[in-house]
Amino acid sequence: MAKKRQILVIGHNTNGCTPEHEKVAYDVGVEIAKSDSVLITGGLGGVMTAAAHGAKDAGGLTVGIIPQADASEANEYCDIVIPTGMGLTRDFLNALTADGVIIVGGGSGTLSETCAAYMNKKPMVAIRNQNGPIEKYIDGFIDHRKNVKIIGVDDAKEAVKTILELITA
């Protein structure tokens, strides 16, 4: 049996997450489940909860890698919880666990995870017009190293289709 693809969804936590972010993240979760991939998130609120909720509603498997040491801190849609006790350092674990990353808005934590994925040359897709710090890097690179281009897409279906193409390329 082949290993399942693992797609990390990152973005706004509860603070700063809008209904639009939640809708997009939910739809991304649904599409990930429909692709028979595993959804990985940081396991907390906002985009993470919405994506996991979408994946669960579509019959998918969800994993939450949380910064706390107590598994009960994860959102209710996580099938598997990995309580790291690592605080924000867990951003690197999230990035390394992923075969590819989908970005929905976000703040400094999302930027940290994006940089960790970038340094490890993980394929990345960002949904346009979500008002996160990644916007200025869409369809470009974070720095002079040009490790991996952050591909811009317009919706959830295109995000999952594109990340799967990048993973298997």
Side-chain angles (χ1 to χ4, degrees), residues 3 5 37 99-100 123 160-169:
K3 173 189 159 308
R5 295 165 300 216
S37 300
D99 296 313
V160 174
K161 178 182 179 288
T162 303
I163 202 65
L164 290 173
E165 289 169 356
L166 293 169
I167 289 169
T168 57

Side-chain angles (χ1 to χ4, degrees), residues 33-96:
K34 285 167 56 176
S35 77
D36 196 32
S37 300
V38 177
L39 173 79
I40 310 288
T41 71
L44 300 178
V47 162
M48 297 170 277
T49 296
H53 187 180
K56 287 296 294 174
D57 282 356
L61 178 65
T62 64
V63 177
I65 303 172
I66 64 171
Q68 298 90 345
D70 181 355
S72 70
E73 298 284 335
N75 72 60
E76 66 206 77
Y77 302 104
C78 294
D79 292 312
I80 298 167
V81 177
I82 301 171
T84 66
M86 298 171 67
L88 298 177
T89 306
R90 77 80 157 83
D91 291 353
F92 286 85
L93 187 58
N94 290 357
L96 289 168

Side-chain angles (χ1 to χ4, degrees), residues 13-33:
N13 199 342
T14 305
N15 186 18
C17 189
T18 67
E20 180 186 353
H21 294 129
E22 289 176 347
K23 169 72 170 111
V24 170
Y26 180 92
D27 292 345
V28 167
V30 167
E31 293 299 321
I32 288 171

